[in-house]
Amino acid sequence: MTDKTTKVAISADFLTAFAALPRQVQGKVTEFMNKFRNNPTAPGINYEKLNACRDRKICSVRIDDTYRGIVVRQEETGVYLLLWIDHHDRAYDWAKNKKCEVNPKTGAIQIFDTVVDQPEIAAEKGSSLFDGVSDRDLVDLGLPEELLPLARSIASKEEFYSQKSSFPADTFETLSWIAEGFSVEEVKELKEQEESLISDSFADALDSPETLKSFVVVEGEEELRRIMAEPLEKWRVFLHPTQRKIVNKKYSGSARVLGGAGTGKTVVAMHRAKHLAVNLNDKERILFTTFTANLASDIKDNLRKICTVEELRKIDVINLDAWVSQFLREHGYPAEIAYDDKITRLWENAVASNDISDGYPVSFFEDEYNRVVVAQEAFTLEKYIKATRTGRGVRLDRKKRLEIWKVFETYLNLMKEQKIRDINTAMYECRLLLTKSNSETRYKHVIVDEGQDLSVNGFRLLRAIAGTEHEDDIFIVGDAHQRIYKNKAALSKGGINIRGRSSILRINYRTTEEIRKAAFALLNGISFDDLDDSFDTGDRCQSLTHGEAPQVKRFANANEEFDFLLKEIKALVSNGVSQKNICVVARTHKLLDDYISQFTANGLRCYEIKGTKADDRGLEGIRVATMHRVKGLEFQYIFIVAANKRIMPLASAIDHTDPVSTQETMTAEKCLLYVALTRAQKCAYISGYGQISEFLS
């Protein structure tokens, strides 16, 4: 068995190479790795020196007659690093110029190609991309000294991004910030590097957060098999130092994490749940909640990939509406929660039963009730007359409030008569029940994903569920740029204090920089909150990958658009892209049904992602989804279809009651397009026919 001082670690590159192997070979590699993890010094491990390799610590291990693993040994510290796996000739070629060292400035283990031939300095050809940065600063930021000539030889951003594989992963990330115009001081601030003693020991370096974003120390066979089962889902294994710091931190109370689409907020929330679950006793539990049932289903499915059975047993994953319904049912509450048409009919009846002098639309009364009455708990006429209406576009004097209150009274009576509740009223009454009940309904920790979608009533309920403020009580992640529902609330108004306990994720792991910029441009000129009482500009974010800008295509009619989609998708599939990595996104279900029929008729299998369950990645077929359903997911290729006038924005979704309501609903439609576009990892297409969406003109 492995000596307790021995450490075996796997690199992210090893998992990438492993994923490309034939399935039968993967089985052999997994068995070898388990044997290797148990005892890397066992006689059966055939280490071979690589005479052509410049780094004498690097050697190969035999998997079978054809395949070799590339390993680094530091026997004095008992560390063994698995770096690469491939056919023996390709593995040796990969290792030939590699070097593995602990960076003396950052303490991170770095793998990089040594420069065989000194490149021509860009200054001799013209200006260098990094002219404004001194050699000392580049080295202090983690660039190996021997790569200084390479860095100085690069003349443009395009050349730099094409040289990505020549730099250590952490160095490339750092230099990409500088390439995009950030100063050395800003980059140092973004890195938030902690002061620590740095040695050349790999054992010490494996404790460094900088190392752990690209290496994982495998502790047991169960963990090893979970990692090898899905090697490309690296979010399960590797955390960026800024993410790891947030996940492991002790907070004196509630905490909030902001970040744009693709920055890993949900990943952080899930790893936070795992981290907290480890230290719970048998009776303590965590509530992991979000706004919609489908997102809760996706989260539960992904938590299974990172948690042990015991950890998962301590985490209740459920969307907040479902939790409210479950709680009320358990306490014998005599009403069901109703949505959409049922609630609209109640409001229509309430309005029709009263003589209102001004002809406000039914939606006005529903919004007024949710945003003023419920939000301020103004459930009496006296309280409603005194309630503030900041942000409401229609001015109401006392006389008009008296008239409107009669509609509210009728609505409340109709809910009681028919034994139904809208969700906001149900949350309010749930909180009243909760405060009177015993503490067994409360949780030690509450974790909230997509916090921007919750109402002030939802935040108040979470505060009651978590109990009085205590260490690590509520952890909320969100992004106002992705607010696609009507709710808008400040945490402080819900009794959740996050002052001094806020973090921002700035690195986009999902989309290319070109897609990120194009999506963010849709929101230019719109002010967004930080889920509390300040603003979130969202402009200090950076993607680590590059590619083409989203392609916007306009066609004369629907048939031309479909012909384009069919040709592009079939070309992707013929080039080896799995159908499940392609998603077609439409604004409405009705539109989606039309595309499904046409794809099916043309021999393409479709798998519709519905709101009732998680996407089953084991099933083949191109994915199709509405814009709302695709939230929280990601695909290599996204096709946003029917981006036509009156569909995007959807005419029926725009509230014309007053200028404020019109602007809010228009912003929500832009956010919906932003969300759909930022699901793409590699490439995004937006197509429409006839008159194109005003968002794209």
Side-chain angles (χ1 to χ4, degrees):
M1 295 296 290
T2 305
D3 185 276
K4 63 181 180 180
T5 60
T6 298
K7 285 185 178 181
V8 174
I10 304 171
S11 76
D13 285 342
F14 184 95
L15 293 180
T16 300
F18 173 83
L21 297 176
R23 189 167 293 276
Q24 66 270 24
V25 178
Q26 287 183 350
K28 290 182 181 180
V29 175
T30 301
E31 292 305 317
F32 166 82
M33 288 174 66
N34 193 45
K35 180 172 70 172
F36 187 79
R37 182 195 61 79
N38 280 320
N39 186 2
T41 62
I45 306 294
N46 297 308
Y47 291 101
E48 298 176 18
K49 290 184 178 180
L50 301 178
N51 295 325
C53 189
R54 293 168 178 270
D55 189 333
R56 307 312 296 170
K57 298 186 297 300
I58 296 177
C59 55
S60 74
V61 288
R62 183 186 180 90
I63 306 300
D64 62 15
D65 290 343
T66 307
Y67 287 88
R68 300 290 185 271
I70 302 299
V71 176
V72 165
R73 290 187 293 181
Q74 195 179 57
E75 292 177 279
E76 63 271 26
T77 61
V79 171
Y80 297 80
L81 307 176
L82 287 155
L83 303 186
W84 194 254
I85 181 79
D86 210 334
H87 182 281
H88 54 73
D89 288 346
R90 290 192 295 270
Y92 298 153
D93 190 55
W94 180 89
K96 184 169 60 175
N97 294 321
K98 287 289 184 295
K99 191 169 184 179
C100 180
E101 300 287 350
V102 177
N103 187 281
K105 298 294 184 180
T106 67
I109 295 176
Q110 294 182 321
I111 311 295
F112 57 95
D113 277 324
T114 54
V115 181
V116 179
D117 299 313
Q118 290 293 321
E120 182 184 357
I121 302 301
E124 298 170 9
K125 303 181 290 181
S127 62
S128 167
L129 180 62
F130 302 109
D131 269 349
V133 187
S134 69
D135 285 356
R136 179 175 178 178
D137 280 337
L138 288 173
V139 170
D140 285 346
L141 288 170
L143 179 70
E145 284 197 37
E146 59 200 279
L147 295 187
L148 274 170
L150 174 62
R152 293 298 182 201
S153 73
I154 294 172
S156 66
K157 282 199 292 185
E158 291 72 25
E159 186 181 351
F160 168 65
Y161 291 122
S162 72
Q163 294 268 24
K164 180 177 180 179
S165 61
S166 301
F167 293 96
D170 58 326
T171 299
F172 176 79
E173 177 191 309
T174 300
L175 294 183
S176 70
W177 287 93
I178 293 175
E180 293 297 334
F182 287 75
S183 69
V184 170
E185 290 69 28
E186 286 175 315
V187 174
K188 286 181 177 178
E189 181 185 334
L190 288 165
K191 287 175 72 70
E192 294 180 336
Q193 202 164 301
E194 296 180 2
E195 291 292 328
S196 60
L197 292 174
I198 295 173
S199 70
D200 59 2
S201 163
F202 284 176
D204 293 340
L206 283 172
D207 292 327
S208 161
E210 278 289 336
T211 297
L212 294 176
K213 75 179 180 186
S214 52
F215 282 89
V216 58
V217 179
V218 183
E219 302 292 350
E221 183 175 353
E222 182 186 352
E223 182 187 10
L224 174 65
R225 293 194 181 277
R226 277 207 310 267
I227 292 170
M228 304 312 287
E230 296 181 83
L232 294 181
E233 291 192 349
K234 295 178 183 178
W235 62 267
R236 299 177 302 115
V237 182
F238 305 105
L239 289 175
H240 189 273
T242 54
Q243 293 177 322
R244 190 176 296 278
K245 184 177 180 180
I246 293 168
V247 165
N248 295 336
K249 190 172 183 178
K250 280 194 177 230
Y251 297 97
S252 57
S254 302
R256 175 206 61 195
V257 180
L258 299 176
T263 55
K265 297 181 298 299
T266 303
V267 168
V268 165
M270 288 190 290
H271 279 274
R272 178 71 174 170
K274 174 181 171 66
H275 170 75
L276 293 173
V278 171
N279 298 312
L280 294 183
N281 63 40
D282 288 340
K283 293 182 179 180
E284 293 174 333
R285 301 186 72 76
I286 295 168
L287 174 64
F288 196 129
T289 191
T290 187
F291 185 65
T292 62
N294 53 272
L295 282 176
S297 178
D298 294 331
I299 288 166
K300 191 167 188 175
D301 189 53
N302 282 323
L303 276 172
R304 291 191 185 100
K305 298 174 183 178
I306 65 171
C307 293
T308 65
V309 173
E310 182 61 23
E311 289 163 353
L312 201 60
R313 188 183 64 79
K314 298 174 183 177
I315 306 170
D316 292 343
V317 185
I318 185 171
N319 66 299
L320 194 55
D321 287 21
W323 189 93
V324 169
S325 181
Q326 180 178 294
F327 178 84
L328 293 177
R329 193 167 53 248
E330 290 170 355
H331 286 75
Y333 197 72
E336 65 168 302
I337 300 174
Y339 297 90
D340 301 330
D341 292 345
K342 269 191 178 182
I343 295 301
T344 299
R345 282 194 294 271
L346 280 190
W347 280 112
E348 288 171 347
N349 291 337
V351 173
S353 300
N354 291 275
D355 184 21
I356 305 297
S357 58
D358 290 312
Y360 303 119
V362 171
S363 60
F364 166 80
F365 294 93
E366 184 173 2
D367 282 350
E368 182 78 0
Y369 176 76
N370 286 322
R371 296 192 181 199
V372 180
V373 175
V374 179
Q376 298 179 52
E377 300 185 353
F379 287 105
T380 66
L381 174 59
E382 183 182 5
K383 287 182 179 179
Y384 175 58
I385 287 174
K386 293 179 180 178
T388 60
R389 301 183 65 259
T390 306
R392 301 291 288 149
V394 177
R395 296 188 65 181
L396 300 177
D397 58 23
R398 180 183 176 88
K399 181 181 176 182
K400 288 179 181 176
R401 291 202 196 197
L402 285 169
E403 286 184 347
I404 290 167
W405 182 256
K406 291 177 183 177
V407 176
F408 294 159
E409 277 189 322
T410 305
Y411 173 72
L412 289 166
N413 288 332
L414 286 171
M415 281 200 296
K416 288 177 183 176
E417 287 171 13
Q418 298 185 28
K419 294 186 178 180
I420 61 176
R421 296 289 187 273
D422 63 65
I423 185 59
N424 270 319
T425 306
M427 283 184 178
Y428 170 70
E429 294 181 350
C430 178
R431 185 159 52 86
L432 295 182
L433 275 174
L434 189 60
T435 54
K436 294 174 184 175
S437 65
N438 296 325
S439 59
E440 79 271 359
T441 57
R442 297 180 182 171
Y443 291 82
K444 178 75 177 291
H445 310 291
V446 174
I447 295 177
V448 184
D449 188 37
E450 304 287 359
Q452 75 280 349
D453 290 328
L454 297 187
S455 65
V456 67
N457 220 23
F459 288 141
R460 287 190 187 122
L461 177 58
L462 291 173
R463 178 70 276 167
I465 290 171
T468 55
E469 192 168 356
H470 59 271
E471 191 175 82
D472 296 329
D473 55 359
I474 305 174
F475 183 86
I476 299 172
V477 303
D479 173 24
H481 301 85
Q482 298 183 68
R483 184 180 286 124
I484 59 176
Y485 300 99
K486 284 187 176 182
N487 295 324
K488 182 178 180 180
L491 292 168
S492 59
K493 298 294 190 296
I496 299 175
N497 171 30
I498 47 92
R499 188 168 297 170
R501 296 186 292 272
S502 299
S503 306
I504 301 177
L505 298 171
R506 305 190 188 279
I507 300 172
N508 186 311
Y509 301 94
R510 180 192 302 140
T511 68
T512 64
E513 181 66 1
E514 290 72 20
I515 293 173
R516 187 196 71 79
K517 284 182 175 177
F520 205 77
L522 292 167
L523 308 177
N524 280 348
I526 303 173
S527 176
F528 290 93
D529 60 88
D530 65 350
L531 311 191
D532 208 28
D533 300 315
S534 191
F535 298 97
D536 176 17
T537 59
D539 59 350
R540 291 172 63 80
C541 185
Q542 173 73 32
S543 297
L544 297 182
T545 58
H546 285 258
E548 293 182 16
Q551 298 183 34
V552 180
K553 302 284 185 179
R554 179 187 174 278
F555 299 94
N557 54 58
N559 289 335
E560 283 188 13
E561 185 207 35
F562 181 77
D563 289 343
F564 164 76
L565 296 171
L566 189 65
K567 180 182 177 183
E568 288 294 318
I569 291 173
K570 284 190 171 181
L572 289 172
V573 173
S574 67
N575 286 328
V577 178
S578 172
Q579 291 184 25
K580 62 189 174 184
N581 290 325
I582 301 168
C583 187
V584 176
V585 185
R587 177 63 181 85
T588 67
H589 277 289
K590 186 178 184 307
L591 280 167
L592 204 61
D593 289 341
D594 293 340
Y595 286 95
I596 291 172
S597 297
Q598 291 186 82
F599 281 127
T600 304
N602 283 274
L604 275 179
R605 179 179 295 176
C606 294
Y607 177 92
E608 184 178 358
I609 303 173
K610 298 182 178 179
T612 52
K613 62 179 181 178
D615 178 13
D616 186 346
R617 303 297 283 171
L619 297 175
E620 200 51 69
I622 63 169
R623 270 40 183 173
V624 291
T626 63
M627 284 182 157
H628 283 87
R629 180 55 187 96
V630 83
K631 187 177 185 182
L633 304 179
E634 57 185 41
F635 301 90
Q636 290 181 9
Y637 298 88
I638 287 284
F639 290 82
I640 300 171
V641 298
N644 309 336
K645 189 174 182 179
R646 298 187 63 78
I647 291 177
M648 201 176 296
L650 190 64
S652 60
I654 305 303
D655 185 345
H656 294 288
T657 304
D658 56 75
V660 172
S661 298
T662 302
Q663 185 57 52
E664 285 182 348
T665 48
M666 189 68 81
T667 294
E669 289 290 296
K670 285 186 177 181
C671 289
L672 198 53
L673 180 54
Y674 169 83
V675 166
L677 197 53
T678 54
R679 302 307 97 194
Q681 297 169 317
K682 291 185 176 180
C683 195
Y685 304 76
I686 307 175
S687 59
Y689 49 88
Q691 286 186 285
I692 203 76
S693 165
E694 62 197 81
F695 293 165
L696 305 173
S697 59

